[in-house]
Amino acid sequence: MAPYISRRSFARLLSVAAGALSLPAGAATLDTGTQHAALGAAMGAASMEKKFPTGFLWGSATASYQVEGGVNEGGRGQTIWDTFSHTPGKVANGDTGDVSTDSYHRYREDVALMKALGLRGCRFSVAWSRIFPTGVGQPNQAGLDYYNRVVDELLGSGIQPFCTLFHWDLPQALEDKGGWQNPDTAKAFADYAGYMGGKLSDRVKSFMTMNEIRSFTELGYQNGMHAPGLRVDAQKFAQVNHIAVLGHGLSVQALRASTKPGTKIGLADNAQATCPVLETPEHIKAAEIGMREQNAQYLTVIMEGKYTDAYLKRLGPNAPKFTAEELKIIGSPLDFVGLNVYQPTWVRADSTKEVGYSVVEGPASYPHMLSPWLTIGPEALYWSPKLVSKLWRPKELYITENGCSSSDVLNEEGQVLDTDRVMYLRNYLTQLHRAISEDVPVKGYFLWSLLDNFEWADGYGKRFGITYVDFKTQKRTPKLSSEFYKATIAKNSIA
Ligand code: PNW
């Protein structure tokens, strides 16, 4: 027997379900039996099937130094990551990207893996030093040829290439002149970006200037955990950030000038994903303020063309030096914003703070994936695009990275049953679906990563792939999470 349900609660439930499913108008006037059937179908479907919009772009992401190998081939110049990874003590286990997943030679096999998954998008990055071995000067045709081959292979497999121009592998020759401490690096980056736009935009329709500005500045120049391994003082660090966002802005302008009409330009940013500790109006407001302030020197200045007052006040004498003209360049309009989302930043309303919020540090028991920094909070994939959309109304959003590390091992049958990664992905994607069903314009999702690869200072010890890589034989084995992702793509709803 169907459980008793009052007319009023039925109407309420129906309106909730209709929000997700668009029931026929007038459904509430149907007779009781039909009502119950409609409700059951609607609620069942609403809770079980989470359809993504038709044409939603499912993809995967990788980055040049993390997968290519071939570091001395095709005229490639040295980068800060070659230097850093070959410096004893900098990378776990002494690992380097010299070979990695050897995608410089095996890109066809990798594209075939993508095709088998049903991917429609591939985010990859160009190694600046393959194109300009010393960062500036004469372009290197062999380097360009490699990316032409990759792009053609993707297009031939029905996969849209999304090209990132800087995913941290700065040419060493530029670091020798100060790297991101030197404003000339921002100009050199724009020249290189413009050059690539001219060469690829006949086939590549979406470019991202930089990947995670916060990561390469903080880890590279503030705490020295990543290349170039420096720890500059607070004022110099603020200037590094300023030069980096200026490089982004200059490259947007260079790309506008060099690319074919209709080319879309954005970036892949790891804006801190501020999430309200409780979903009440006061904490949600706090998360919104937090999104602006926590990211003041990165996404906020890029979207607004100015630093927030609170940021400049907080830095005081260490604030960056800048001109109005530079702010205008930094704020150059974008066609889309890409968000890399891994962990939540929990935020609460706090009236004792001038800015009105504070960040809540997790208790010691807070769960994380294999990487200790990767705390779990599926809501990050709801609130990050939701708040970015509310604050800055970008025309389009992409999730340019999301994924996790897991202690993957091959079992006796040669499988990797990464149930924790499946759990992570299913829960995060459920929250992404929630954002999209509220009309946040997220157009695609790039899972990090297609393959296990060189995880920066963690070397090969932290696997993020949905494909297991045996680094001795280069054998690729799709994990359980690959099956999950493949089924999700095939159904266009969470498997
Ligand atoms: C991102 N953290 O890096 C990068 O874009 C990828 O290259 C990387 O492999 C991936 O996420 C997984 O780590 C991050 O310490 C590195 O918070 C470190 C942090 C966040 C992102």
Side-chain angles (χ1 to χ4, degrees):
M1 222 183 88
Y4 172 77
I5 183 166
S6 75
R7 234 164 238 285
R8 190 181 298 158
S9 34
F10 174 75
R12 200 171 54 233
L13 283 170
L14 199 59
S15 74
V16 170
L21 286 159
S22 62
L23 282 177
T29 63
L30 300 173
D31 69 80
T32 318
T34 316
Q35 280 182 357
H36 277 136
L39 178 66
M43 295 308 285
S47 61
M48 285 158 60
E49 188 151 42
K50 297 199 160 40
K51 273 274 176 204
F52 282 75
T54 307
F56 188 76
L57 195 79
W58 295 103
S60 66
T62 58
S64 45
Y65 189 71
Q66 294 183 271
V67 298
E68 283 178 4
V71 291
N72 295 315
E73 290 177 64
R76 175 186 179 277
Q78 293 297 288
T79 74
I80 58 173
W81 271 97
D82 299 294
T83 310
F84 190 76
S85 65
H86 281 271
T87 306
K90 298 295 187 192
V91 174
N93 199 34
D95 291 339
T96 75
D98 288 2
V99 179
S100 190
T101 65
D102 195 30
S103 296
Y104 185 69
H105 300 107
R106 293 170 196 261
Y107 65 90
R108 285 194 183 84
E109 189 182 341
D110 297 341
V111 174
L113 277 170
M114 295 178 212
K115 196 174 173 187
L117 281 164
L119 298 191
R120 300 290 313 284
C122 165
R123 178 175 171 238
F124 70 99
S125 82
V126 172
W128 184 345
S129 77
R130 285 198 190 280
I131 309 300
F132 294 98
T134 60
V136 293
Q138 288 306 305
N140 168 40
Q141 187 60 41
L144 185 61
D145 289 345
Y146 169 63
Y147 295 107
N148 277 328
R149 291 196 295 275
V150 170
V151 164
D152 292 343
E153 187 72 16
L154 287 166
L155 290 173
S157 301
I159 300 170
Q160 284 184 48
F162 274 59
C163 175
T164 311
L165 292 160
F166 182 67
H167 200 126
W168 308 356
D169 42 359
L170 187 73
Q172 180 63 45
L174 293 184
E175 183 57 38
D176 295 342
K177 293 184 210 146
W180 291 109
Q181 297 188 76
N182 182 346
D184 290 346
T185 299
K187 295 196 194 94
F189 176 62
D191 289 344
Y192 145 70
Y195 177 80
M196 290 310 292
K199 293 295 177 186
L200 294 184
S201 66
D202 56 336
R203 288 154 295 150
V204 174
K205 299 301 168 199
S206 305
F207 288 89
M208 286 143 289
T209 57
M210 294 178 174
N211 178 71
E212 298 197 356
I213 298 171
R214 180 195 294 272
S215 293
F216 73 79
T217 61
E218 286 188 359
L219 298 168
Y221 293 85
Q222 189 183 42
N223 69 25
M225 305 278 284
H226 279 190
L230 301 179
R231 292 172 183 225
V232 302
D233 68 33
Q235 205 288 318
K236 283 190 176 138
F237 179 62
Q239 211 59 34
V240 163
N241 281 324
H242 180 70
I243 292 168
V245 291
L246 181 60
H248 155 82
L250 287 168
S251 70
V252 172
Q253 299 192 342
L255 284 162
R256 291 268 178 240
S258 72
T259 51
K260 299 239 179 276
T263 305
K264 293 189 176 174
I265 300 167
L267 83 170
D269 185 65
N270 58 328
Q272 279 191 14
T274 53
C275 300
V277 284
L278 300 175
E279 295 196 359
T280 58
E282 47 164 346
H283 294 306
I284 291 172
K285 184 70 201 162
E288 185 183 326
I289 300 168
M291 175 59 78
R292 248 186 112 237
E293 295 300 346
Q294 294 291 117
N295 302 299
Q297 66 278 49
Y298 306 111
L299 195 57
T300 304
V301 70
I302 286 170
M303 299 309 284
E304 299 184 10
K306 60 182 169 53
Y307 291 110
T308 68
D309 295 340
Y311 171 71
L312 294 177
K313 193 172 164 195
R314 181 158 62 78
L315 265 64
N318 294 325
K321 312 247 175 306
F322 57 87
T323 65
E325 176 60 18
E326 287 170 348
L327 290 182
K328 209 164 157 226
I329 294 167
I330 294 166
S332 299
L334 299 175
D335 302 305
F336 69 92
V337 169
L339 295 169
N340 293 0
V341 180
Y342 289 92
Q343 76 278 51
T345 297
W346 293 110
V347 161
R348 69 181 170 96
D350 186 347
S351 57
T352 68
K353 296 273 163 53
E354 210 174 310
V355 283
Y357 77 94
S358 55
V359 170
V360 178
E361 297 304 329
S365 58
Y366 199 97
H368 61 79
M369 299 303 292
L370 190 60
S371 308
W373 59 266
L374 214 176
T375 50
I376 302 168
E379 295 80 359
L381 209 44
Y382 170 76
W383 287 108
S384 177
K386 177 85 179 175
L387 293 175
V388 166
S389 179
K390 172 139 198 272
L391 282 166
W392 299 302
R393 299 269 160 225
K395 282 175 256 176
E396 296 184 337
L397 287 156
Y398 285 90
I399 302 304
T400 34
E401 285 182 26
N402 172 243
C404 64
S405 50
S406 164
S407 51
D408 304 313
V409 279
L410 283 167
N411 68 14
E412 280 172 10
E413 287 87 58
Q415 308 157 320
V416 179
L417 301 178
D418 52 341
T419 48
D420 55 345
R421 183 176 285 106
V422 172
M423 171 199 70
Y424 177 101
L425 294 172
R426 182 185 285 124
N427 282 282
Y428 274 70
L429 285 173
T430 299
Q431 292 290 327
L432 177 61
H433 181 269
R434 179 183 167 206
I436 293 170
S437 67
E438 292 174 16
D439 291 329
V440 178
V442 180
K443 302 298 178 191
Y445 170 91
F446 295 88
L447 197 155
W448 185 275
S449 183
L450 177 71
L451 303 168
D452 293 336
N453 60 49
F454 178 78
E455 177 55 16
W456 306 114
D458 290 326
Y460 298 100
K462 298 281 188 293
R463 295 174 178 269
F464 274 80
I466 56 171
T467 311
Y468 184 89
V469 177
D470 180 328
F471 291 102
K472 290 201 186 75
T473 62
Q474 293 297 340
K475 182 166 187 254
R476 275 95 159 120
T477 306
K479 305 176 190 175
L480 181 68
S481 52
S482 269
E483 267 180 63
F484 165 79
Y485 197 40
K486 186 176 178 176
T488 296
I489 295 167
K491 292 170 60 185
N492 202 32
S493 74
I494 301 162

